[in-house]
Amino acid sequence: MDHVLSRLPRWRDDNVLVGFETSDDAGVYKLTEECALVQTVDFFTPIVDDPHAFGGIAAANALSDVYAMGGRPLTAMAVLAYPASGDLEVLEKLMRGGAEKIHEAGCSLVGGHSINEEDVKFGYSVTGTVHPGKVWTNAGARVGDVLVLTKALGTGVIGTAVKRGMAEEADARAAEESMLQLNKGAAEAMAGLEVHGCTDVTGFGLLGHAREMGLASGVTLEIDVEAVRFLPGAERYAAMGAVPGGTRNNQEFIGECVEGRSAVDDLLYDPQTSGGLLAALGKHDAAVLVERCGSAFVVGSVVEKGRRPVRLEGRKR
Ligand code: CO
Ligand code: CO
Ligand code: CO
């Protein structure tokens, strides 16, 4: 879609603070000097069998893009593709799981749209607000910043292992819990800190989203491979070949932007669903964030722009 969008004419509007040009998480539109709208939409096919959990994950994933911009979600609209002949009890579980998660975020479900289709797809369009001067874009990372990630990686690999019947129940549960976890707490832990850059780690994997921040900020993001944390079982399942197709696409698309390789590349490129926030902050603020947010950890640092927007350090092949 990026390719096609880039070919469309641009109608300039000074109130558009963040448009589609910088691969940011959400669009931001200034309403007044104190208030801007944050708007995003995300939907996908079921990634877990339990419809209630899938609904919650779809909601957490859609809300995440508002948090990643420093915004507060206010309203959500459901986007649904479901077969007319489908099981209505299953649908109710799905919608209920989503609605409960939207409510947990302090956000109001105000409507939605559904179409009749064989393959189920579900998600939300979420609208929030942010102060126009406090938008966390991809573009502000500075040399010397520390990179913090707020969730462990591996949801793609574990989802694939579950589909192939390879995953242990406890590992599947841990991945599901991670995807259900709202990024609200992480965003609140960042409130009051000087956040230079922020995005959530989703379909393009850690390195794909690091690439976007590196390019938008005109710096190189150095990822410390030894410091990256993985969900329980993720490294083992990746070694057993439970690698989703999206990982290879990411490697093809992003690989040339990454200097260095590691033994855990399959996880660094692993497409995440409802992944954590990746933030660039000064050294002190990064330490405060890690202290405040239990699941957060330092994952690298921002260095002078090198040959490529992302560089791997440690555990090279
Ligand atoms: Co995003
Ligand atoms: Co998104
Ligand atoms: Co952002």
Side-chain angles (χ1 to χ4, degrees):
M1 185 167 82
D2 282 350
H3 177 71
V4 176
L5 277 176
S6 69
R7 296 165 65 101
L8 298 185
R10 308 275 164 91
W11 290 282
R12 207 183 139 75
D13 182 339
D14 288 337
N15 291 319
V16 175
L17 302 182
V18 179
F20 55 75
E21 299 86 356
T22 50
S23 309
D24 264 291
D25 303 296
V28 181
Y29 184 88
K30 188 169 85 171
L31 294 174
T32 69
E33 293 309 315
E34 270 81 51
C35 184
L37 276 183
V38 182
Q39 296 181 292
T40 182
V41 60
D42 223 321
F43 60 98
F44 42 70
T45 53
I47 43 151
V48 291
D49 287 337
D50 172 12
H52 186 269
F54 173 53
I57 292 166
N61 181 74
L63 288 157
S64 175
D65 278 328
V66 175
Y67 293 124
M69 299 307 281
R72 188 168 74 91
L74 296 179
T75 58
M77 306 256 246
V79 180
L80 172 72
Y82 204 77
S85 59
D87 186 331
L88 288 183
E89 259 175 62
V90 169
L91 178 58
E92 186 183 329
K93 284 179 188 152
L94 171 78
M95 299 291 294
R96 188 181 294 277
E100 286 170 4
K101 193 53 77 175
I102 297 283
H103 177 69
E104 184 188 330
C107 182
S108 295
L109 182 61
V110 294
H113 183 73
S114 63
I115 57 167
N116 173 15
E117 207 190 274
E118 259 333 287
D119 292 325
V120 174
K121 296 180 192 74
F122 185 59
Y124 291 92
S125 162
V126 183
T127 300
T129 53
V130 67
H131 189 286
K134 292 179 182 163
V135 183
W136 300 340
T137 68
N138 281 330
R142 301 178 196 170
V143 173
D145 276 353
V146 172
L147 296 168
V148 176
L149 180 60
T150 68
K151 283 186 191 181
L153 300 177
T155 67
V157 157
I158 293 172
T160 304
V162 170
K163 269 188 213 137
R164 294 187 190 166
M166 290 157 58
E168 279 171 40
E169 180 64 26
D171 296 338
R173 288 291 312 163
E176 197 175 289
E177 283 306 318
S178 174
M179 292 187 283
L180 280 167
Q181 178 77 48
L182 286 172
N183 279 330
K184 182 175 194 266
E188 282 170 356
M190 287 170 17
L193 302 179
E194 209 184 297
V195 178
H196 297 152
C198 181
T199 188
D200 58 343
V201 175
T202 52
F204 296 125
L206 173 63
L207 298 184
H209 293 280
R211 166 188 174 272
E212 288 175 344
M213 194 184 286
L215 287 174
S217 301
V219 295
T220 287
L221 267 58
E222 195 170 86
I223 303 296
D224 178 1
V225 177
E226 315 269 351
V228 182
R229 294 185 191 168
F230 304 110
L231 287 163
E235 283 179 274
R236 193 156 52 87
Y237 302 132
M240 290 161 73
V243 177
T247 303
R248 296 293 167 243
N249 295 341
N250 284 345
Q251 275 171 325
E252 226 163 275
F253 175 62
I254 301 150
E256 64 181 30
C257 293
V258 178
E259 196 179 325
R261 301 186 66 184
S262 83
V264 288
D265 271 8
D266 281 342
L267 286 159
L268 301 183
Y269 289 96
D270 186 48
Q272 303 300 286
T273 301
S274 186
L277 299 181
L278 173 67
L281 322 89
K283 211 171 186 175
H284 174 77
D285 281 1
V288 174
L289 173 55
V290 169
E291 167 92 32
R292 283 182 188 168
C293 178
S295 60
F297 53 97
V298 171
V299 77
S301 57
V302 180
V303 299
E304 209 78 54
K305 184 181 174 185
R307 281 193 299 136
R308 299 177 186 183
V310 181
R311 183 158 72 221
L312 299 185
E313 277 301 314
R315 250 214 262 181
K316 280 188 185 151
R317 204 164 4 215

